[in-house]
Amino acid sequence: MDSFTTRPEIVGTFGVVSSTHWLASQTAMSILERGGNAFDAAVAGGFVLQVVEPHLNGPGGEVPLMLWSEKEQRMRVICGQGCAPALATPEYFRKKGLGLIPGIGLLPATVPGAWGAWMTMLRDYGSMSLAEVLAPAIGYAEKGFPLVPRVVQAITAVQDLFRSEWHSSRDVWLPKDKVPAPGSLFQSTALAKTYRKIIEQAETQGGTDRVKQIEAALDIWYRGFVARAIDDYYTYAEIRDTTGERNKGLLRYDDLANWQATYDEPITVEFGRYTVAKCGVWSQGATFLQQLTILRNAELQKHAPDSFEFVHHVAEAAKLALADRMVWLGDPDFVDVPLATMLSTDYGKQRFAQIAALASKDLRPGQPDGRQPAMPDLELGERILAISDTRYGIGEPTFAALPPVREWADKEIFVGDTCHLSVIDQQGNMVSSTPSGGWLSSSPVIPELGFSINTRLQMTWIDEGLASQLQPGKRPTTTLSPSMALRDGKPYMAFGTPGGDQQDQWTLIFFLRHALYGMNLQEAIEAPSWHLDHYPSSFWPRTTTLNKITLEARMPEATIAQLKQAGHDVKVGAAWSEGRISACTREPGLNGQLLLRAGANPRGMQGYAVGR
């Protein structure tokens, strides 16, 4: 394969950052330059992502965090995925005649967990104050930030909805009732006021004590004016959604007041020199690990990383792991997940034996511990889609071509729904974060606050007997899936990507090319990639696609031809259309220093890695 890359792998000793937006990367780096640690930098960068990528995440969203503390010599997970409201029961939706939870509007909200997760990490591991880490985000919100084209496309797609129904969103996203121009400076003044009000109240309540200020900020968000504003809006506002009707929300003050971000131990799998770590089974992270246990048996290193053999085996392993995701993964507080068996060597061998020379066209969940899988209704999505109001969007963020179409249509390279940011500082502290939710196009702005709430509840099923069935207080099995890895038992890499159901496909391909073939971070990120559709989508309307593989046009023609011959339903996409990975590594250098590296995705022309 060609070793040319569009940009260098970043190498340094002071600190490295990689994210899906250059302003977040530079913000995080600036925090390191001012003496902050990786945790401070990630929080500041994360809040900037909420401002500059509002089509992909927001203050009302969620974020799973993975961290390595050099002081504690410990890896931890912070769960920033909120739970279902107390009023959100299967019976409620059945009485409304709904077979699925809508993808937009007020009904699919969970408790917004991003604030709790970021603040928890800042309190317990950071060194800077609330005002210091929020200052960059407030600065961009007040003074303006340049709109990337995808933000404008998101606004364009839902401008009619904003004008006719979601007037609070119109007031924020259509200044002077016009769609803003790409590249223009945009201000989020209402959000800035909210953050300034939180800081003012937190400093009043917490005095000059950094920790007390942050604890006050948590209380203000989940039990103060933020929670009261959310409660008021979701109790009384009636908002049109994909049901074609206007519905009130289910999220209430008590749901927020009784929730907090929690610490978990990561789940891990060994793969050669590497120990790969993921979030727990309330996320899809186990899907990545299960693919590794299957592919340990494939002898992939005997084949080129763009060969038919490599692509076919990885794709078929993904089919098996994604089928198990559909059936077995769920909130472990509610579901007995057979994780130990699913990640065992024997089960990996059993699943590998099911990979044949031809592409599988069936969904084949396994039977760990002899359990019989319960399947969702795979045709439900199509039936519901046929009778739904989809004029203004569905589940994932909706995008429209920018006028004039001839200037923008060929630049439609991907649909995004999430962000990523990884940081490593000179002490060796590491953060991997995948913020999402609270998309500007998926739920209306809460007028008093200037931001929207997530719609993550759409990822649950209403039907009985399913691991990811909706229950009050239960977390949906989120697609958000940051990653970390040890090498030879030492902390090594923080990485991740946006991409919904593609996250633990794209990152797996990247990891294998780095770990097995020695590609540097930038080479592994930029190498031609693909994704598989072989599951019911995690997002409304949960339609099922089987045996479809979409590859970048840069893949060898021989590989594409052989995949077709093997029975894969092949789609060749644009040359730079698959994956949006950010990655950072650390390894021993000279004189006790760490050698730090970073790479970032060039696709979409906004991700960036920085460091020195």
Side-chain angles (χ1 to χ4, degrees):
M1 296 181 67
D2 190 352
S3 61
F4 170 82
T5 55
T6 63
R7 57 185 74 170
E9 181 187 60
I10 301 298
V11 184
T13 58
F14 179 80
V16 287
V17 181
S18 180
S19 86
T20 49
H21 197 291
W22 70 90
L23 290 178
S25 296
Q26 193 57 45
T27 293
M29 192 67 197
S30 74
I31 294 294
L32 297 180
E33 298 282 4
R34 289 162 49 199
N37 60 27
F39 312 112
D40 301 313
V43 174
F47 280 110
V48 167
L49 283 174
Q50 293 176 359
V51 174
V52 301
E53 291 195 307
H55 57 314
L56 305 179
N57 81 136
E62 53 272 312
V63 59
L65 300 170
M66 301 189 74
L67 65 89
W68 170 269
S69 166
E70 187 67 9
K71 179 180 179 181
E72 297 176 350
Q73 289 291 293
R74 182 182 186 185
M75 188 187 301
R76 305 185 80 181
V77 170
I78 302 178
C79 178
Q81 174 56 63
C83 61
L87 296 175
T89 65
E91 292 73 25
Y92 173 88
F93 289 97
R94 291 193 193 108
K95 288 179 180 178
K96 294 183 75 69
L98 300 177
L100 289 172
I101 297 168
I104 65 171
L106 303 183
L107 289 175
T110 65
V111 174
W115 179 268
W118 289 123
M119 289 296 107
T120 296
M121 185 169 70
L122 180 67
R123 179 193 65 197
D124 297 344
Y125 290 95
S127 64
M128 301 182 86
S129 70
L130 176 69
E132 287 174 314
V133 297
L134 277 175
I138 292 173
Y140 285 121
E142 288 181 337
K143 297 176 183 178
F145 60 94
L147 286 174
V148 296
R150 295 298 277 181
V151 178
V152 180
Q153 289 170 293
I155 297 170
T156 300
V158 290
Q159 59 177 314
D160 291 342
L161 174 64
F162 287 1
R163 291 192 177 100
S164 64
E165 300 284 345
W166 296 7
H167 295 154
S168 58
S169 294
R170 175 200 61 195
D171 296 342
V172 170
W173 300 110
L174 295 172
K176 298 182 180 179
D177 201 34
K178 294 182 179 180
V179 175
S184 62
L185 290 179
F186 189 89
Q187 295 171 291
S188 297
T189 53
L191 174 59
K193 289 178 181 178
T194 295
Y195 281 158
R196 287 202 177 279
K197 185 174 180 180
I198 291 173
I199 292 170
E200 180 182 355
Q201 292 187 7
E203 290 178 344
T204 298
Q205 294 177 28
T208 58
D209 187 290
R210 189 189 77 89
V211 171
K212 289 182 178 178
Q213 284 183 12
I214 296 168
E215 290 175 342
L218 282 165
D219 189 67
I220 292 162
W221 188 278
Y222 292 103
R223 287 166 289 277
F225 81 89
V226 175
R228 288 191 294 271
I230 294 171
D231 175 86
D232 182 70
Y233 193 73
Y234 273 69
T235 300
Y236 298 108
E238 294 184 275
I239 299 299
R240 190 178 298 279
D241 53 41
T242 46
T243 66
E245 306 294 332
R246 293 185 177 91
N247 289 294
K248 294 181 179 179
L250 302 175
L251 192 59
R252 297 291 184 268
Y253 178 88
D254 285 348
D255 296 315
L256 285 93
N258 294 325
W259 184 88
Q260 64 179 1
T262 54
Y263 283 102
D264 287 349
E265 293 301 313
I267 59 176
T268 61
V269 152
E270 303 297 319
F271 188 81
R273 299 174 62 190
Y274 297 87
T275 304
V276 182
K278 301 291 287 187
C279 298
V281 291
W282 47 265
S283 84
Q284 70 166 339
T287 304
F288 185 115
L289 302 184
Q290 194 177 351
Q291 289 174 85
L292 289 181
T293 66
I294 295 170
L295 292 170
R296 281 192 301 220
N297 303 283
E299 298 184 313
L300 291 176
Q301 60 270 32
K302 291 184 177 180
H303 308 287
D306 59 357
S307 65
F308 161 75
E309 291 82 4
F310 181 82
V311 177
H312 175 73
H313 280 97
V314 172
E316 293 301 298
K319 290 178 181 179
L320 297 172
L322 288 163
D324 278 355
R325 179 193 72 165
M326 172 188 68
V327 168
W328 301 117
L329 298 189
D331 185 339
D333 293 339
F334 290 77
V335 179
D336 178 21
V337 179
L339 182 66
T341 298
M342 290 170 65
L343 299 184
S344 68
T345 298
D346 287 345
Y347 189 72
K349 288 179 179 178
Q350 292 172 25
R351 297 297 266 162
F352 178 73
Q354 295 178 272
I355 296 177
L358 298 180
S360 171
K361 299 181 181 180
D362 300 315
L363 266 177
R364 298 182 293 171
Q367 299 180 23
D369 300 331
R371 302 186 190 191
Q372 294 301 309
M375 299 275 282
D377 181 349
L378 300 180
E379 298 177 355
L380 178 63
E382 293 290 349
R383 298 198 302 270
I384 288 179
L385 185 60
I387 60 172
S388 297
D389 183 352
T390 59
R391 290 174 295 167
Y392 306 121
I394 46 174
E396 291 185 278
T398 303
F399 298 89
L402 288 166
V405 174
R406 64 181 179 275
E407 295 181 15
W408 293 101
D410 63 345
K411 297 182 181 179
E412 284 288 305
I413 61 168
F414 55 73
V415 173
D417 66 331
T418 304
C419 313
H420 187 83
L421 183 145
S422 290
V423 185
I424 305 179
D425 64 27
Q426 63 182 327
Q427 285 76 37
N429 298 304
M430 303 166 60
V431 177
S432 179
S433 62
T434 308
S436 187
W439 306 310
L440 71 88
S441 56
S442 296
S443 67
V445 165
I446 298 174
E448 184 181 336
L449 303 176
F451 62 80
S452 305
I453 300 298
N454 72 82
T455 54
R456 190 64 55 174
L457 211 61
Q458 65 181 291
M459 301 178 71
T460 61
W461 298 97
I462 295 174
D463 294 348
E464 299 288 341
L466 302 178
S468 54
Q469 184 200 20
L470 168 69
Q471 289 178 255
K474 183 179 179 181
R475 292 168 287 187
T477 309
T478 181
T479 51
L480 305 177
S481 190
S483 307
M484 279 192 172
L486 310 180
R487 190 169 70 178
D488 301 327
K490 303 295 184 181
Y492 176 64
M493 181 158 60
F495 63 110
T497 183
D501 291 311
Q502 285 78 55
Q503 287 183 37
D504 282 315
Q505 299 183 57
W506 287 335
T507 50
L508 179 89
I509 298 163
F510 155 80
F511 173 77
L512 291 173
R513 286 174 164 168
H514 178 67
L516 291 180
Y517 300 98
M519 292 185 183
N520 72 33
L521 298 182
Q522 198 62 40
E523 289 171 337
I525 288 170
E526 294 193 19
S529 195
W530 69 87
H531 81 270
L532 184 80
D533 291 299
H534 191 81
Y535 42 76
S537 171
S538 294
F539 298 90
W540 191 94
R542 312 302 301 270
T543 51
T544 301
T545 303
L546 297 177
N547 193 38
K548 181 179 179 181
I549 185 168
T550 303
L551 305 100
E552 289 182 325
R554 294 180 294 129
M555 290 293 292
E557 291 183 7
T559 298
I560 294 172
Q562 287 177 281
L563 289 166
K564 291 178 179 178
Q565 291 169 5
H568 292 274
D569 180 4
V570 174
K571 175 185 176 181
V572 178
W576 294 88
S577 55
E578 294 290 322
R580 301 186 289 288
I581 292 162
S582 304
C584 299
T585 62
R586 48 162 282 189
E587 57 190 291
L590 296 174
N591 304 319
Q593 291 188 99
L594 292 172
L595 187 62
L596 310 177
R597 302 178 189 271
N601 171 50
R603 301 164 178 89
M605 300 179 292
Q606 75 182 59
Y608 232 84
V610 294
R612 70 169 179 86

